[in-house]
Amino acid sequence: LTPSSKTMTIRNKETKNSSNAEQNKAWVGPSSLTAANTEATPLLSSGKDEASENSINDNMQQSRSVSFNDANQNQAAFVLEKLKWTSLRQDKVVSRDRVGAAAFLICDAILGQENEDAGGYFAFDPYDSGSHPFRNKVSIFCRRIVSLLWVRKLVKSMSWILVYLSLFEPPGWCLDFASEDGSIIGCEGAMNAKGIPAINGMNTTAMNVAAMKGTSTPADVHYYPNTGTLLFTSEQEQLIEVVLVSIIMMFVLLGIARDGMSLRNYFRGGPRRNLRVLRALSIIALLIGQVIFFRRPFRHFFRIVLAITLSSGVQREFRNLGKLVPEIIKVLSLLFIVVLFYAWIGVMAFYDTAQGQYFSTLLEGIWTLWICVTTANYPDVMMSGYNENRLVALYFVSFMIITFFFMMNVILASVVNTYDNLHNTNEMEREIKSRVNLKKAFDILRLFPGDETIDRETIMALLIVLNEDFPQLREIPENEAKILFGFLDKDGTEKISEEEFMDFCNVMLLKFEKSSLYKSVIELHFPNFYKSKVWQGVARYIDSSTFEITIDVVLVLNAVIVAIQSYPILIGESVELNPNVDDGQIDTVWEAMETAFTVFYCFEMIFKILVKGWRSFNNSMRNLFDFLITGLSVVASIYVYYPNDFSDSRLIRYIVMVRVLRLSRLLVAMKQFQVIGNTCIEILPAVSRVFTLLFCIMYLFSTLGNILFGGMISRDPSNRLSYLVLDTEFADSDYWANNFNDLLGGMNVLFNLLVINNWTECEAGFEAVTESKWTRLFFFAFHIAGVVMVNNVVVAVVINHFIDQWDKQHELNSVDNVAGEAIIIGRHAIFNAREITGTKTGATGDYVARVRRTSQMGQQAFLRRIFSRSSSDGSGVDPASVS
């Protein structure tokens, strides 16, 4: 909403129920605020009152505000004159700054965010007439930019590209690297160096090396094993970093300008202060590091911190993890006491025995038993003593029962229970904060101090401001604005009470589409043929279970034919290829049948789309999968059989084999499998957030590992460290690629640690090259952070959301008619926009409503709640029942 020569008028309370035709003219679209008809005294008008304008300019030339003309109290409306940005406010005026203040609160309520400022509605109010007009204009302009969804996604993407850049740039340990004999210099030399590996310090011929390592070309052995992902030089990496950080810095500067060009406002107190401080410090550290530090060992930490400050989902999971830590520490403390107690007994009981090699000291005994807890060395660790005395099993079996079977599961149960409580608490706090914000917004929007309702014009003005100045919310076209008002006005009085206003956030979650989008091409363009008996018969057959059974029979036949074709290869027989297979023509029985199946599947897709319509067709994941496989089959057929240089019809066979996956439809047809599949899809957003959290933990530990152990795992004969690892389980297991020579390789090491199996062999190599048992602390710390904490959080998230979604799956195929207001089919509602919950909206046409995000009560229950009417005396369903 630009502060130009536009005026706002407000209707008198006595004329609130004037015709909808005149009221609907109050709407102004998101791109322009030109009035639709000035004769009907709309809410936003382009008319001018020169006397009023001159009077306001005399009072404050640099400001603009809204003047109120009460000269004619008996007319149909009060006139709210040209928008001016001054401090002139009156209690009977719904002024631009009041609508703006309410819009801030509503935006936070809709997005479920904290208030911008702990002590007020927001850090800087660009609609406040007491502020400088230039700062107001700059603030509104910058707010629109930083709130744009594509801008925020771009900046977020830049931050994560910066993180992924670390996986493809030279690691810090090799920037100034030089081998002892001077033959290898720099990162490129170290990462690409190959030759005969170090073997027990002996000079061995190439032939012996090849025999010992089982390779035919020993010179191909990398001296410093790595993933081979060194795509950028140090100079290129620094240039890319400067560009990306500069883009993010521009976003921060726009944020400062949005907050009145004030650092104090930007770094204000409140829930976002720490995030913004970390964001600014990370940007400064990365830019300064370009100049001061050559190796810049800590740049990766600043990159991931910067990305986290721009990712709200990851922030949420880190906050939850921080709240989980105290609960986990309680159980871990008890676990460590048990481990300490058993280690003490082991040192004393196995002294001077074969089993004593694992309990030579108390610390060694603790380490041995901790490995037992992870199951990585059980039962190997007890076999030396168990072979001599079977009673040794009592010691280890009792330890495993207490720690592995009981206490580790107690940790998991504690994480699941705590996470479930945190999830419920977060939802409750979000609901409370949203209602508090809505209550404050309602108080601001009331035209008169004693008013208990808000009129249509005020709501429309609010929607205009939300549309224009808050692009982070969805765009609201004119017809949708009328529909939204209808949903709010549940008693049909053309006034919004406080109780009804509390539904504002819920109503904004709705997404509308015209029902015509769900009609097929036949229904839209050939209505007479669509109504004919022939087409209706075809449509009934395509929608029938008989058609599905036919498709399933063809699928089984397809699978049988493919199995017959592949049988000789599957049982390991040597097969001589038919020369006709490679001639690019359909001249074999198998090729003809494969082509026939492809044609059949094409007709299946075509008829389904013609009957259901494309929008309805692609709402089904099963249909999309079928469409993808069919498309691949058609493309492969055209590519192979159309005259060209490539004529191998075996490609079609591979595509058809993939198509056999359609047999999964036989399982999906069963209700139980359908529920499981839909539930797994529904929980993907929540699971993706927690997996991003796991990635961040692995990235941080991989960076630390690169600093501590980078370049230490080596097969370079001129490097003495190469010989330290040769006689370890690490070398015997051929784990050379498991190292921290680059970040991507380090991520692989940490993933192996997550899986737990054989992680001790990997740790042995690093313990050997560092010649210190303190190396164990690194692997122990990651096991606690990655396995005990984050991995259990992953399990907790899956369990929590799976159960939540499982309970809602019954609504998928149900149909409900809400008092003639709408027909709810599955998770969408079909309704006529002319009248909603008793309110004549002025909109026309049939619409389909969907919920933009899942509510706690389920999407169908949510829709049923939204379409339910309430009486004018306020009775009805409590709006607070919907999250």
Side-chain angles (χ1 to χ4, degrees):
L1 186 62
T2 56
S4 57
S5 58
K6 303 177 180 69
T7 62
M8 182 181 287
T9 65
I10 204 74
R11 298 183 185 277
N12 197 312
K13 294 179 67 176
E14 287 76 15
T15 60
K16 293 286 180 66
N17 293 321
S18 59
S19 67
N20 284 292
E22 291 182 353
Q23 291 175 339
N24 291 334
K25 294 175 183 178
W27 173 255
V28 180
S31 61
S32 171
L33 293 179
T34 305
N37 190 337
T38 57
E39 296 179 358
T41 63
L43 178 64
L44 294 176
S45 165
S46 60
K48 297 183 178 181
D49 189 320
E50 295 182 359
S52 177
E53 179 178 345
N54 293 334
S55 175
I56 293 176
N57 285 334
D58 291 339
N59 292 331
M60 187 173 290
Q61 295 181 0
Q62 295 181 346
S63 303
R64 294 183 178 180
S65 182
V66 181
S67 62
F68 182 72
N69 179 12
D70 57 355
N72 192 353
Q73 297 289 341
N74 297 322
Q75 293 182 354
F78 290 107
V79 178
L80 188 59
E81 285 295 344
K82 190 175 181 180
L83 287 173
K84 295 292 181 178
W85 298 88
T86 69
S87 60
L88 186 60
R89 290 194 201 177
Q90 299 183 26
D91 290 337
K92 296 183 180 181
V93 177
V94 181
S95 60
R96 180 65 177 85
D97 53 357
R98 288 198 174 199
V99 175
F104 272 103
L105 292 167
I106 290 174
C107 180
D108 277 353
I110 293 172
L111 298 179
Q113 296 174 341
E114 300 273 357
N115 287 339
E116 288 280 342
D117 188 355
Y121 303 151
F122 32 79
F124 178 76
D125 182 3
Y127 310 109
D128 187 358
S129 54
S131 301
H132 193 283
F134 176 74
R135 293 176 65 191
N136 289 338
K137 292 180 181 179
V138 171
S139 176
I140 291 177
F141 176 75
C142 293
R143 182 175 297 279
R144 293 174 183 173
I145 294 177
V146 300
S147 299
L148 287 171
L149 182 60
W150 70 267
V151 171
R152 303 184 75 87
K153 285 188 175 182
L154 174 65
V155 174
K156 182 179 177 180
S157 300
M158 295 298 101
S159 66
W160 285 105
I161 290 175
L162 197 60
V163 171
Y164 298 139
L165 176 65
S166 305
L167 305 178
F168 306 102
E169 67 183 20
W173 66 268
C174 65
L175 291 177
D176 54 356
F177 176 81
S179 61
E180 295 181 9
D181 60 1
S183 60
I184 304 175
I185 299 176
C187 274
E188 187 173 356
M191 304 300 267
N192 296 320
K194 297 180 181 180
I196 300 175
I199 298 180
N200 294 327
M202 298 184 297
N203 292 324
T204 313
T205 63
M207 188 67 70
N208 290 335
V209 174
M212 294 178 67
K213 292 300 178 182
T215 61
S216 59
T217 311
D220 287 340
V221 174
H222 279 276
Y223 281 165
Y224 295 88
N226 60 88
T227 56
T229 54
L230 183 59
L231 302 182
F232 303 103
T233 64
S234 181
E235 292 76 14
Q236 292 171 336
E237 167 262 321
Q238 291 183 34
L239 177 61
I240 295 173
E241 182 182 81
V242 168
V243 173
L244 296 177
V245 172
S246 298
I247 294 174
I248 299 173
M249 185 174 65
M250 288 299 299
F251 179 77
V252 173
L253 293 176
L254 287 171
I256 295 173
R258 172 201 60 194
D259 292 339
M261 296 181 286
S262 169
L263 290 175
R264 181 180 179 181
N265 288 341
Y266 185 77
F267 296 108
R268 61 194 174 279
R272 301 180 187 177
R273 176 180 180 178
N274 294 336
L275 288 175
R276 291 179 174 178
V277 169
L278 286 174
R279 187 181 305 162
L281 290 178
S282 299
I283 292 174
I284 294 172
L286 289 172
L287 293 178
I288 292 178
Q290 291 276 348
V291 180
I292 298 178
F293 301 105
F294 172 59
R295 294 175 62 172
R296 299 185 301 139
F298 300 106
R299 67 189 184 279
H300 299 147
F301 293 111
F302 292 117
R303 290 177 181 178
I304 193 66
V305 169
L306 182 59
I308 292 173
T309 61
L310 293 166
S311 305
S312 58
V314 183
Q315 295 166 20
R316 185 192 317 169
E317 297 304 328
F318 266 105
R319 285 195 297 268
N320 289 339
L321 181 62
K323 296 175 182 178
L324 284 171
V325 168
E327 299 298 325
I328 296 176
I329 288 179
K330 293 177 184 177
V331 184
L332 280 178
S333 300
L334 183 58
L335 175 61
F336 290 148
I337 292 174
V338 173
V339 171
L340 176 63
F341 176 74
Y342 267 83
W344 191 352
I345 294 177
V347 172
M348 303 300 295
F350 300 130
Y351 178 76
D352 201 22
T353 65
Q355 191 68 51
Q357 61 179 317
Y358 300 107
F359 295 87
S360 57
T361 65
L362 181 62
L363 290 177
E364 197 67 28
I366 292 174
W367 180 248
T368 298
L369 292 178
W370 179 254
I371 298 175
C372 269
V373 173
T374 68
T375 70
N377 65 348
Y378 188 85
D380 298 357
V381 67
M382 79 169 185
M383 293 312 299
S384 56
Y386 183 71
N387 288 331
E388 297 180 359
N389 189 343
R390 298 297 189 269
L391 293 178
V392 171
L394 293 177
Y395 172 85
F396 286 97
V397 170
S398 63
F399 174 79
M400 293 298 291
I401 290 175
I402 295 173
T403 58
F404 178 73
F405 287 101
F406 177 69
M407 302 196 71
M408 294 302 291
N409 286 315
V410 168
I411 292 176
L412 175 59
S414 177
V415 171
V416 172
N417 181 64
T418 305
Y419 189 89
D420 184 55
N421 292 336
L422 284 174
H423 178 72
N424 294 333
T425 302
N426 290 338
E427 289 294 326
M428 186 180 300
E429 290 177 352
R430 177 174 178 162
E431 172 69 10
I432 292 173
K433 291 169 185 173
S434 294
R435 291 183 65 82
V436 169
N437 284 344
L438 289 174
K439 177 65 171 64
K440 291 179 181 179
F442 183 83
D443 292 339
I444 292 173
L445 291 173
R446 287 188 297 184
L447 181 60
F448 297 95
D451 272 356
E452 296 182 356
T453 59
I454 301 174
D455 58 18
R456 177 190 286 265
E457 289 84 354
T458 305
I459 295 296
M460 300 300 280
L462 175 63
L463 292 175
I464 292 171
V465 175
L466 290 175
N467 225 14
E468 188 71 14
D469 293 349
F470 296 87
Q472 64 265 49
L473 304 179
R474 67 183 182 88
E475 184 177 336
I476 309 171
E478 178 180 355
N479 251 19
E480 289 193 16
K482 299 174 183 178
I483 294 172
L484 291 176
F485 181 83
F487 281 116
L488 287 175
D489 183 21
K490 287 188 172 297
D491 54 12
T493 61
E494 296 292 329
K495 302 175 184 178
I496 305 301
S497 66
E498 181 176 332
E499 183 181 18
E500 292 171 332
F501 192 76
M502 291 298 106
D503 252 353
F504 201 101
C505 292
N506 298 324
V507 170
M508 288 295 289
L509 292 178
L510 295 175
K511 178 182 179 181
F512 304 106
E513 296 175 304
K514 289 190 174 182
S515 61
S516 59
L517 296 175
Y518 288 82
K519 295 181 179 179
S520 66
V521 175
I522 302 296
E523 185 176 1
L524 286 175
H525 300 287
F526 306 98
N528 293 331
F529 179 68
Y530 175 80
K531 296 176 183 177
S532 66
K533 293 183 179 180
V534 175
W535 181 252
Q536 289 299 316
V538 172
R540 282 194 297 271
Y541 176 69
I542 297 298
D543 286 332
S544 67
S545 58
T546 304
F547 180 74
E548 290 298 322
I549 293 174
T550 303
I551 299 299
D552 294 338
V553 170
V554 175
L555 286 169
V556 173
L557 181 61
N558 189 175
V560 171
I561 292 175
V562 172
I564 293 174
Q565 276 186 277
S566 308
Y567 179 75
I569 299 176
L570 294 176
I571 64 175
E573 291 184 0
S574 178
V575 179
E576 213 174 292
L577 293 178
N578 188 334
N580 293 328
V581 171
D582 297 330
D583 60 3
Q585 297 183 20
I586 306 175
D587 50 8
T588 66
V589 175
W590 301 122
E591 289 177 310
M593 298 185 73
E594 289 165 357
T595 303
F597 280 123
T598 300
V599 172
F600 178 82
Y601 295 139
C602 284
F603 277 107
E604 176 204 359
M605 293 296 102
I606 292 172
F607 275 101
K608 278 188 173 182
I609 294 172
L610 290 177
V611 170
K612 298 177 180 294
W614 173 250
R615 187 65 64 94
S616 298
F617 177 83
N618 69 13
N619 278 336
S620 169
M621 296 299 295
R622 294 162 56 189
N623 287 340
L624 289 178
F625 176 77
D626 291 343
F627 183 82
L628 175 64
I629 299 301
T630 301
L632 289 175
S633 300
V634 172
V635 171
S637 300
I638 295 175
Y639 186 61
V640 171
Y641 294 126
Y642 185 80
N644 57 74
D645 295 333
F646 184 82
S647 299
D648 190 350
S649 57
R650 285 174 295 183
L651 175 64
I652 302 176
R653 189 179 307 149
Y654 299 144
I655 297 297
V656 174
M657 290 177 65
V658 174
R659 196 168 168 72
V660 176
L661 291 174
R662 287 173 50 122
L663 287 172
S664 59
R665 287 175 51 185
L666 298 174
L667 297 177
V668 174
M670 302 175 63
K671 184 177 179 181
Q672 294 82 353
F673 285 98
Q674 188 177 29
V675 170
I676 292 174
N678 288 327
T679 303
C680 291
I681 293 175
E682 292 290 342
I683 68 174
L684 285 180
V687 173
S688 64
R689 291 196 305 268
V690 76
F691 269 105
T692 305
L693 169 66
L694 181 59
F695 171 83
C696 292
I697 297 296
M698 294 176 63
Y699 180 91
L700 290 170
F701 272 90
S702 181
T703 299
L704 181 59
N706 185 258
I707 294 173
L708 296 176
F709 311 121
M712 286 190 170
I713 298 299
S714 168
R715 308 185 74 178
D716 182 6
S718 65
N719 190 336
R720 73 173 191 87
L721 297 179
S722 302
Y723 303 99
L724 296 177
V725 74
L726 289 179
D727 294 325
T728 64
E729 293 179 339
F730 181 94
D732 294 340
S733 301
D734 202 23
Y735 275 15
W736 299 105
N738 288 336
N739 58 67
F740 290 95
N741 290 346
D742 56 4
L743 252 64
L744 195 57
M747 298 284 282
N748 178 68
V749 173
L750 297 174
F751 183 80
N752 295 340
L753 298 182
L754 281 178
V755 180
I756 296 176
N757 193 33
N758 291 343
W759 70 270
T760 53
E761 282 84 345
C762 187
E763 183 275 334
F766 293 95
E767 185 176 329
V769 294
T770 57
E771 300 179 275
S772 172
K773 292 187 177 181
W774 289 106
T775 302
R776 296 174 175 178
L777 289 177
F778 174 85
F779 293 87
F780 174 76
F782 179 77
H783 188 86
I784 295 296
V787 179
V788 177
M789 291 187 179
V790 179
N791 205 27
N792 281 329
V793 169
V794 173
V795 176
V797 170
V798 172
I799 292 175
N800 181 276
H801 287 83
F802 190 89
I803 293 175
D804 185 44
Q805 294 297 327
W806 180 278
D807 294 337
K808 300 173 184 176
Q809 290 303 311
H810 68 278
E811 66 187 26
L812 286 176
N813 299 315
S814 59
V815 180
D816 191 10
N817 191 324
V818 184
E821 294 286 343
I823 298 176
I824 301 177
I825 305 175
R827 292 180 174 179
H828 64 272
I830 304 173
F831 67 99
N832 188 280
R834 185 182 303 278
E835 183 175 340
I836 300 173
T837 63
T839 302
K840 295 186 182 300
T841 64
T844 58
D846 293 332
Y847 283 81
V848 175
R850 296 178 179 273
V851 186
R852 293 172 64 87
R853 70 174 178 86
T854 305
S855 67
Q856 277 189 311
M857 60 167 28
Q859 294 185 22
Q860 191 177 79
F862 183 96
L863 290 170
R864 191 181 302 112
R865 163 68 185 82
I866 289 294
F867 280 96
S868 299
R869 298 191 187 191
S870 64
S871 59
S872 59
D873 61 0
S875 63
V877 183
D878 181 14
S881 64
V882 181
S883 172

